[in-house]
Amino acid sequence: MEGCIIAFDVSKGNAHYQSFLSSSKHLHKPKKMRWNKNDFELLEKDISQLKEKSGNEKVSFVYESTGVYSLPLEKYLKDKGYDYYVISPLLSAKFRQTELHSNKTDPLDCKNIAMVYYNRELYLNSEEDNVYEQLRALNRYYEDQMEHIRKYKVTLRSYIDSIMPDYDGCFPKKDVYTPVAMEILRKYPHPDKITKAKENSMIKHLSKATGHDESFIRKHVAKVKEWACNAYSGVDEDDIRTSFITELVNDLEAKINEANNTIKQLIDIAKKTPHFEQIVSIVGIGENLASRIIAELGDMKKYTSKNQIVSYAGLDPMIRQSGKYDGDHLSISKKGNKRLRCLLYLAVVCNLRQAKNDPIYNFYQKKRQQNTPLKSKAAKIACAHKLLVIIYGLCKTQNSYEF
């Protein structure tokens, strides 16, 4: 690639930038700027100077993808209507390692990022509809909420194991997160409390709190009562740790409600996008998963080929050829959107559970039964690649999934 550019090395709260007339000629030494209006005005002066020196009104911008750190720069470039290219940190690191002296400093990184631009064919970042930015933000927020929920569950489990050992055995599949099991933990967070409580009082309270019939509640209460009579707790009934169970149950339910509201909002917005119906028609993909996949894929218009979308997800294979060694059947590059890869892998797992005679399921069976069969995980990753290609095809043709 060629032309005059400004290369940025973005850090937390600031960046170094350097203007280049060509790959062999820079206009000034790296300069440091912070995300404030005064520094962006100084940047505008350097842009004007670069245009004047080059005799070209078009200036491109290139920087590494650094997540939230680069958002102020990205918004500035969008507001001004400038062309910009975002490169992977892995790509610039790989390019830096080819140099004899691969030192890494913020000022030197500007030159390195510029050399990636001049020596590689990069894709111009096209501006997406704001709806996809909102979806992506909601999905990332939902992931954070789910991570907090997992932590609360781990902590709650540790207190249950020490204060109410074998409590989970009172419920089908040892699931202590059902409404009845959670309400018992909230109201009676110790075996002695359960033993002292009157059975009819427990039944009425649990029926009112959970909305279940008293006949349904009675079976659970009888089993829990039987367990409590033989349980030997690791702490006394009046120990402060018993109150922690009640607090954790309240906090966990609050977090679950917040996450449910977030995913509902995510689904409502995703339903208004052009390709929701195509993606949700695929076996194994429900509204939740379809919405999150759309959030991470973004606007399908920005992908010009199936290879480009596969590369974006990091599902493209690495190539390592040498002599007679063809380099086939290597692992995927993973140089892409890891969240999207995880969602596609989850969609494949959901598809295989349904065991329907569809292209994904048949492809998995083929990979597992070929002359050199793939292991289960490798076959599922291959299916994730195929699923992404199918999604690309459905969105381009506006067809639903048929088999």
Side-chain angles (χ1 to χ4, degrees):
M1 300 181 70
E2 56 185 21
C4 52
I5 66 166
I6 297 180
F8 290 84
D9 178 57
V10 180
S11 305
K12 182 179 179 179
N14 60 71
H16 286 80
Y17 71 92
Q18 189 173 13
S19 303
F20 292 83
L21 293 166
S22 65
S23 60
S24 59
K25 188 175 182 181
H26 61 263
L27 190 60
H28 56 76
K29 292 181 178 180
K31 297 181 180 180
K32 185 175 181 178
M33 67 174 292
R34 295 190 176 277
W35 304 142
N36 57 56
K37 294 180 180 179
N38 290 336
D39 283 11
F40 275 113
E41 288 176 2
L42 294 175
L43 174 63
E44 277 293 327
K45 293 181 180 179
D46 285 327
I47 294 171
S48 300
Q49 184 182 10
L50 183 58
K51 289 179 179 179
E52 183 181 344
K53 291 287 184 180
S54 65
N56 190 345
E57 281 298 311
K58 184 178 179 181
V59 175
S60 297
F61 300 79
V62 58
Y63 62 92
E64 286 182 345
S65 174
T66 53
V68 295
Y69 295 161
S70 56
L71 281 180
L73 175 62
E74 183 178 335
K75 186 178 185 302
Y76 166 80
L77 297 175
K78 286 181 178 179
D79 291 344
K80 294 293 184 178
Y82 291 129
D83 288 345
Y84 64 96
Y85 300 82
V86 183
I87 64 174
S88 166
L90 290 173
L91 182 59
S92 60
K94 184 178 179 180
F95 190 87
R96 183 176 63 250
Q97 289 167 4
T98 62
E99 298 179 350
L100 183 61
H101 301 288
S102 56
N103 296 326
K104 185 185 187 308
T105 64
D106 289 339
L108 285 176
D109 278 347
C110 294
K111 180 181 179 182
N112 182 62
I113 291 169
M115 291 305 103
V116 173
Y117 171 87
Y118 286 118
N119 290 276
R120 293 293 187 101
E121 188 66 32
L122 302 178
Y123 293 107
L124 179 67
N125 276 62
S126 56
E127 186 172 353
E128 288 185 312
D129 191 310
N130 185 57
V131 68
Y132 294 106
E133 292 185 8
Q134 303 307 311
L135 284 172
R136 195 172 297 114
L138 279 169
N139 185 51
R140 306 290 169 87
Y141 184 50
Y142 177 72
E143 287 184 352
D144 289 339
Q145 289 175 318
M146 293 305 295
E147 183 62 29
H148 285 299
I149 288 172
R150 284 189 285 271
K151 290 179 180 179
Y152 273 108
K153 285 184 175 181
V154 170
T155 305
L156 178 59
R157 276 283 185 179
S158 68
Y159 281 106
I160 292 173
D161 290 341
S162 60
I163 299 172
M164 304 178 73
D166 267 348
Y167 172 74
D168 53 2
C170 300
F171 304 94
K173 299 181 180 179
K174 296 188 174 184
D175 186 3
V176 296
Y177 303 113
T178 61
V180 175
M182 292 284 278
E183 187 58 33
I184 292 173
L185 287 171
R186 189 203 324 269
K187 185 72 174 177
Y188 315 99
H190 193 278
D192 291 348
K193 291 181 181 291
I194 296 173
T195 304
K196 293 175 182 178
K198 293 181 179 180
E199 186 171 335
N200 287 336
S201 297
M202 285 186 68
I203 292 170
K204 288 181 180 179
H205 171 78
L206 293 171
S207 179
K208 182 179 179 181
T210 63
H212 286 295
D213 294 335
E214 289 190 5
S215 58
F216 175 83
I217 297 294
R218 190 177 299 275
K219 296 177 183 178
H220 285 292
V221 169
K223 198 164 186 179
V224 170
K225 277 276 190 180
E226 181 184 355
W227 161 82
C229 290
N230 296 315
Y232 195 93
S233 178
V235 303
D236 293 331
E237 179 183 353
D238 58 353
D239 192 288
I240 191 172
R241 283 169 286 188
T242 60
S243 64
F244 293 166
I245 290 183
T246 300
E247 292 175 12
L248 282 167
V249 169
N250 291 333
D251 291 342
L252 178 58
E253 289 190 343
K255 290 294 180 183
I256 290 173
N257 289 334
E258 289 176 10
N260 288 338
N261 291 334
T262 300
I263 196 64
K264 183 180 182 299
Q265 186 180 1
L266 180 63
I267 292 172
D268 289 342
I269 297 175
K271 282 182 176 179
K272 299 174 184 178
T273 59
H275 307 301
F276 180 83
E277 293 301 327
Q278 282 80 34
I279 296 176
V280 83
S281 68
I282 299 172
V283 175
I285 299 182
E287 291 186 346
N288 181 320
L289 201 48
S291 302
R292 297 180 65 195
I293 289 173
I294 291 171
E296 293 304 326
L297 278 174
D299 193 346
M300 294 297 292
K301 294 177 183 177
K302 66 183 180 182
Y303 304 111
T304 58
S305 68
K306 65 180 182 181
N307 291 335
Q308 188 178 352
I309 195 172
V310 168
S311 177
Y312 173 76
L315 287 169
D316 50 324
M318 292 191 298
I319 305 299
R320 295 287 188 274
Q321 292 181 335
S322 179
K324 294 182 179 180
Y325 178 62
D326 59 12
D328 291 340
H329 305 101
L330 293 176
S331 58
I332 57 175
S333 70
K334 296 186 181 180
K335 294 180 181 179
N337 188 321
K338 65 179 181 180
R339 291 181 175 87
L340 179 58
R341 284 199 305 277
C342 291
L343 292 171
L344 293 169
Y345 187 89
L346 179 59
V348 168
V349 171
C350 294
N351 177 286
L352 297 179
R353 283 176 183 167
Q354 298 191 29
K356 291 189 176 181
N357 190 29
D358 78 306
I360 300 297
Y361 181 80
N362 292 336
F363 186 71
Y364 175 80
Q365 298 300 329
K366 177 183 175 182
K367 290 296 180 182
R368 292 286 284 151
Q369 298 169 11
Q370 62 189 14
N371 290 334
T372 53
L374 295 179
K375 292 183 179 180
S376 178
K377 186 176 180 180
K380 289 172 184 174
I381 292 173
C383 289
H385 179 287
K386 184 176 182 65
L387 173 60
L388 185 55
V389 173
I390 289 173
I391 290 174
Y392 176 77
L394 293 178
C395 294
K396 288 296 182 182
T397 60
Q398 293 291 315
N399 292 327
S400 295
Y401 188 70
E402 296 179 358
F403 58 96

